[in-house]
Amino acid sequence: MKIALDAMGGDYAPEQIVAGAIDAAQCFDCEIVLVGDQDKIQAQLDKFPNWENLKITVHHATEVIEMGEHPAAAVRKKKDSSLVVAAQLVKTGECDAVISAGSTGAAVTSALFILGRIAGIARPTIATPIPTGHGVTLLLDSGANVDSKPKHLQQSALMGSIYSECVFGVERPRVGLLNIGEEKTKGNEQVLSTYPLLENMHTINFIGNAEGRDITNGTVDVVVCDGFVGNIVLKFAEGLAKTLLKLIKEAIKNGGFLAKLGALLLAPTLKKIAKKIDYAEYGGAPLLGIDGCYIIAHGSSNKKAIKSAIGVACEYVKRDVVSRIRENMQKEEMLANDQEK
Amino acid sequence: MKIALDAMGGDYAPEQIVAGAIDAAQCFDCEIVLVGDQDKIQAQLDKFPNWENLKITVHHATEVIEMGEHPAAAVRKKKDSSLVVAAQLVKTGECDAVISAGSTGAAVTSALFILGRIAGIARPTIATPIPTGHGVTLLLDSGANVDSKPKHLQQSALMGSIYSECVFGVERPRVGLLNIGEEKTKGNEQVLSTYPLLENMHTINFIGNAEGRDITNGTVDVVVCDGFVGNIVLKFAEGLAKTLLKLIKEAIKNGGFLAKLGALLLAPTLKKIAKKIDYAEYGGAPLLGIDGCYIIAHGSSNKKAIKSAIGVACEYVKRDVVSRIRENMQKEEMLANDQEK
C-alpha cells in the first residue's frame, strides 16, 4: 500500500509532515511518498539518520498552493503543486491514498477535479472525528457543502456509518440527525424532510434526532448535519478549548504558591485527559464520497496528527471503504426499488 | 418596578425560584411578585424568617404548564397557569417584566399570544449571553425560530445590539454574522443575503462575518444567527462542559494521592474560573422583539441564576429596551428612505 503525503501543506510543513511520516513508516504497513520540494523534504529527512531504512520515497513537485489562494483557480493553475501531484498519484494508480494538511478548499477541489465522485454520490462530505473521552463521534458534513438537500444528508448518513464501522471498528454505528429537539416534528425544513429518508434506510442504524449536547456525550456514533452547521460547531469547539486553556493559565499565573503547586501535581492527570480528547490522536478527516481515499488533515497538524492520518488512510484502503460505499448505495437503491414494487 | 416571576417553572421550582427572589429583593430596587401555587410558595418563603420585610408578594395561580406539553395547546388551555398569569400581569400593566424558567416553547407562545410583538418586528428572538471569561458574547437567535429570512436576522442584529448596550453596558457593540468564513462571499444562501442588509444598517456597528471560534474569543459582542444554528451551538457547549467535567472528575478519582492533592490545591483557582464562565452569573435570555420585558431563564436555573435574571429584567425595564428597539427601527427606516431619495 502506498500513501501520497502532501509534504508542503499545513502550518508546520514540511517539518512536522516529514516527522509524522517517519513515525508512521515505523508503525504501519505502508510505503509513504512525500510529495513536494525535493530539497526541502530532503533537508528534513536528513534529520533522521535511519530514514533510508524506512519505506519512504520523495516525489518532486515544484509548486505550493498557499492558504489564501482561490481553491479552483489554484488547482487549475498550479498543475505541479504538491497537492495536485499527490492526487494525481492516486488517479494514476501509483498510490492508494492521498493526505494533505493544506487548504481545505483546494483539497476538496482537487479531489473533485482529479479523482471525481463515487457513482451516484451527489456531493462529497468531510467527516470529522470529535473525541468524547471514551471514543469519537463522527460529525459530517463538517464544511464541504452548505445548503445541502435531504438527499445529500441521506448519502452522508450512509457514508459516515460505513466509515465509523470500517475505520473506528464500531459495530452497527448509531446514526443521529443533528437537530434542535428529539421529536421528529422539530427542526428546520432541511431536517424535517431528511428524517423520513433516514428512517427508511436499510443499511444504517438510525436512532433519530441528536441534539448539540449528544455530540460529545457518547450516545451516538455518527452525527449528520449540513456543512454550515458542522463547520460552526467544529470551530466553536476549537475556540472554546483555547479560551478555557487561556483562562486556566491566566488563573494559575495570577494564583498563589498553592495554586501553582496544585497545577504541578495535577499536570500528569490533566495531560492524560488532554491526550484522550486530542484531535491529533484521531487522524484526519476523510473526504467521503470521493472515488479514492482522500484524507484532509488539520491545518495545524503536528507530527502526531500526520501519523494518525496515515494510520486512518491505511485502514480506509485496507477495509476498502470506497467499495463498501458503492455496495451500500446499490443496496439502498435495490431495497428502495423492492419496496416500490 | 414590579417583576412577575413564574415560581412554578423550572427543574428546581419552586424552591430555587423563591430563594433567588429572596436574594434579588435584597439587591435590586424592585418588587417581586411570585406567581403560582400559594401554599407551595408560602412553604418556601417560610424558610426565610425575614421575607416579610422584603418587597415580595404572592399572586396565586392554580395550574402549571409541564415541560412535555405542547406549547400552544397548553397556553390556550391552562389560562390559570403560573406562566400565563405572569404574562397577563405585564399585559394589564400591573407588572413591568416577566421571568420564567419553565418550558421555552410555552414561554415564547405566551409572550406572543399575550404581549404581542413590537410593531414592525416579524419574529421575536432569544438572545443568550455566552460567558467568555472576560465578559459575554450575545448569541441570537438561540432557538426561537428556524428557517429565518434575512430580514429576521437583520432585526435580530438591531435588537441584539441595543440589548448588549443597555444591559451589558457595551459601547457601540461589535455585531458579527455567524458564518463559516470571514469573506463576504462565503456561506449559505441565508447569510449571503443577510450580509448586505447588515452592511447597510445605520444603527449598528457591523464588523462582518464571525466564525464559530469568535463566539468565545472576545472579538465580537453580538453574534447573529438562525435559531437552528444558535440552539445547536448552545447545547453543544453545555454538553462539552459536562463531558469535560466528567473526564476530569474520573481522572482525579482514578489518580494517585498527588493528583488528588493537586486537585485540592487548585480547586479555589478553578472555582474562580468556573464563576467567570458560569451562565448563572449572567441571568436569563431575553425574548427580544416582544412588546414588553420577557426573560427566559434556563430550565435548570438555581437561585443564583434567578437572581441574575431579575437583575437583567431590572436593567431591561430601566433602560427601556422596548422603546429603544422601536426608535431604532424607525431610524433605520427613515435613513433607508432618505438614501432612496
Side-chain angles (χ1 to χ4, degrees):
Chain A
M1 190 190 312
K2 269 170 109 172
I3 315 274
L5 179 58
D6 172 8
M8 313 308 284
D11 303 343
Y12 308 115
E15 191 188 341
Q16 292 292 310
I17 313 290
V18 172
I22 295 279
D23 284 354
Q26 297 170 75
C27 258
F28 307 117
D29 185 23
C30 65
E31 181 179 334
I32 297 159
V33 182
L34 290 163
V35 184
D37 185 298
Q38 189 143 24
D39 293 343
K40 286 186 182 157
I41 295 171
Q42 194 59 56
Q44 295 301 326
L45 283 173
D46 288 341
K47 292 183 183 172
F48 304 89
N50 69 332
W51 83 267
E52 282 184 338
N53 305 328
L54 300 171
K55 288 200 272 178
I56 293 184
T57 54
V58 180
H59 188 108
H60 186 56
T62 56
E63 295 172 295
V64 175
I65 294 181
E66 305 294 343
M67 289 305 282
E69 291 187 73
H70 185 277
V75 168
R76 223 173 295 136
K77 214 182 107 205
K78 294 188 167 173
K79 295 222 185 306
D80 201 38
S81 60
S82 54
L83 188 126
V84 169
V85 172
Q88 288 288 4
L89 290 175
V90 176
K91 179 68 183 172
T92 58
E94 201 167 321
C95 287
D96 303 288
V98 49
I99 300 170
S100 177
S103 148
T104 301
V108 175
T109 309
S110 70
L112 278 169
F113 281 10
I114 299 165
L115 302 175
R117 287 164 298 168
I118 297 172
I121 294 290
R123 294 176 168 192
T125 72
I126 300 174
T128 302
I130 314 268
T132 65
H134 297 287
V136 292
T137 302
L138 195 68
L139 182 75
L140 80 165
D141 175 24
S142 59
N145 300 292
V146 299
D147 291 322
S148 304
K149 299 278 174 287
K151 187 88 196 162
H152 303 142
L153 296 185
Q154 190 192 16
Q155 294 188 341
S156 285
L158 181 143
M159 297 192 289
S161 176
I162 292 172
Y163 186 77
S164 172
E165 196 190 320
C166 290
V167 174
F168 296 119
V170 180
E171 248 179 271
R172 294 197 75 233
R174 295 159 297 176
V175 178
L177 177 63
L178 192 56
N179 203 337
I180 58 170
E182 284 175 14
E183 306 86 341
K184 194 172 164 169
T185 52
K186 283 246 177 155
N188 60 12
E189 280 177 28
Q190 184 189 53
V191 296
L192 285 171
S193 312
T194 304
Y195 195 104
L197 294 184
L198 300 189
E199 226 179 2
N200 287 324
M201 286 174 76
H202 304 85
T203 65
I204 68 163
N205 174 21
F206 179 54
I207 60 160
N209 289 328
E211 293 189 76
R213 65 174 76 95
D214 298 323
I215 297 172
T216 61
N217 70 8
T219 56
V220 58
D221 301 301
V222 178
V223 172
V224 176
C225 64
D226 185 86
F228 187 81
V229 179
N231 186 273
I232 285 171
V233 165
L234 258 195
K235 287 187 184 154
F236 174 71
E238 275 187 33
L240 193 61
K242 269 193 198 157
T243 300
L244 273 176
L245 208 65
K246 208 179 112 198
L247 286 175
I248 293 173
K249 278 186 183 161
E250 272 176 19
I252 291 170
K253 205 181 142 198
N254 298 330
F257 169 72
L258 291 181
K260 288 192 177 76
L261 179 63
L264 207 66
L265 294 174
L266 201 53
T269 307
L270 293 179
K271 269 187 194 144
K272 261 184 232 162
I273 301 172
K275 191 176 148 74
K276 272 191 186 175
I277 56 173
D278 183 5
Y279 77 91
E281 296 282 336
Y282 299 94
L287 197 50
L288 296 175
I290 290 298
D291 195 2
C293 173
Y294 203 120
I295 308 287
I296 296 176
H298 196 286
S300 59
S301 286
N302 54 15
K303 66 176 186 172
K304 185 163 65 173
I306 294 297
K307 181 189 159 194
S308 304
I310 295 170
V312 159
C314 289
E315 282 305 304
Y316 197 108
V317 174
K318 206 162 74 190
R319 301 293 306 263
D320 200 1
V321 170
V322 169
S323 299
R324 284 287 310 277
I325 291 175
R326 211 176 269 129
E327 279 162 30
N328 279 16
M329 285 285 290
Q330 282 163 358
K331 223 179 270 178
E332 286 290 350
E333 257 173 80
M334 274 162 49
L335 291 166
N337 289 342
D338 278 353
Q339 278 192 334
E340 273 168 32
K341 275 173 203 167
Chain B
M1 190 191 310
K2 271 169 109 173
I3 315 273
L5 178 59
D6 172 8
M8 314 308 286
D11 303 344
Y12 307 115
E15 191 188 341
Q16 292 292 310
I17 313 288
V18 172
I22 294 280
D23 284 354
Q26 297 170 73
C27 258
F28 307 118
D29 184 23
C30 67
E31 184 181 332
I32 299 159
V33 182
L34 290 163
V35 184
D37 185 298
Q38 188 143 24
D39 293 343
K40 286 187 181 156
I41 295 172
Q42 194 58 56
Q44 294 301 326
L45 282 172
D46 288 342
K47 292 183 183 172
F48 304 90
N50 69 333
W51 82 267
E52 283 184 336
N53 305 327
L54 300 171
K55 288 200 272 179
I56 294 184
T57 54
V58 180
H59 189 108
H60 186 55
T62 56
E63 295 172 296
V64 175
I65 294 180
E66 306 294 342
M67 289 306 282
E69 292 187 71
H70 186 277
V75 168
R76 222 173 295 135
K77 213 182 109 205
K78 293 189 168 173
K79 294 224 184 307
D80 201 38
S81 61
S82 54
L83 189 127
V84 169
V85 172
Q88 287 288 4
L89 290 175
V90 176
K91 179 68 182 173
T92 58
E94 202 168 319
C95 287
D96 302 288
V98 48
I99 300 169
S100 177
S103 147
T104 300
V108 175
T109 309
S110 70
L112 277 169
F113 280 11
I114 298 165
L115 302 175
R117 289 163 297 169
I118 296 172
I121 294 290
R123 292 177 169 192
T125 71
I126 300 174
T128 302
I130 312 267
T132 64
H134 297 287
V136 293
T137 302
L138 196 68
L139 182 75
L140 81 168
D141 175 24
S142 59
N145 300 291
V146 299
D147 291 322
S148 304
K149 300 278 173 287
K151 187 86 195 163
H152 303 142
L153 296 185
Q154 190 192 17
Q155 295 188 341
S156 285
L158 180 143
M159 297 191 290
S161 176
I162 291 172
Y163 187 77
S164 172
E165 196 190 319
C166 290
V167 174
F168 296 119
V170 180
E171 248 179 272
R172 293 198 75 232
R174 294 159 298 176
V175 179
L177 178 64
L178 193 56
N179 203 337
I180 58 170
E182 283 175 15
E183 306 86 341
K184 195 171 162 168
T185 52
K186 284 247 177 153
N188 60 11
E189 280 178 28
Q190 184 188 54
V191 296
L192 285 172
S193 312
T194 304
Y195 195 104
L197 294 184
L198 299 189
E199 227 179 1
N200 287 323
M201 285 174 76
H202 304 86
T203 64
I204 67 163
N205 174 21
F206 179 54
I207 59 161
N209 289 330
E211 292 189 78
R213 65 174 74 96
D214 298 324
I215 297 173
T216 60
N217 70 8
T219 56
V220 59
D221 301 300
V222 178
V223 172
V224 176
C225 64
D226 185 85
F228 187 81
V229 179
N231 186 273
I232 285 170
V233 165
L234 258 196
K235 286 186 185 154
F236 174 71
E238 275 185 35
L240 193 62
K242 269 192 198 158
T243 301
L244 273 176
L245 208 65
K246 207 179 112 200
L247 287 174
I248 293 174
K249 279 187 184 162
E250 272 175 19
I252 291 171
K253 205 180 143 200
N254 299 330
F257 170 72
L258 291 181
K260 286 192 178 76
L261 180 63
L264 207 66
L265 293 174
L266 202 53
T269 307
L270 293 178
K271 270 188 193 143
K272 260 184 232 161
I273 301 172
K275 191 175 148 73
K276 271 190 187 175
I277 56 173
D278 182 6
Y279 76 90
E281 296 282 336
Y282 299 94
L287 196 50
L288 295 175
I290 289 299
D291 195 2
C293 172
Y294 203 120
I295 308 288
I296 296 176
H298 196 286
S300 60
S301 285
N302 55 15
K303 66 175 186 172
K304 185 163 66 173
I306 294 298
K307 181 189 159 193
S308 305
I310 295 171
V312 159
C314 289
E315 282 305 304
Y316 196 108
V317 175
K318 208 162 72 189
R319 300 292 305 264
D320 201 0
V321 170
V322 169
S323 299
R324 285 288 311 278
I325 291 174
R326 211 175 269 131
E327 280 162 27
N328 279 16
M329 288 283 289
Q330 283 164 356
K331 221 180 274 177
E332 286 290 349
E333 253 175 83
M334 274 165 44
L335 291 167
N337 290 342
D338 278 355
Q339 276 191 333
E340 275 170 29
K341 277 172 202 166

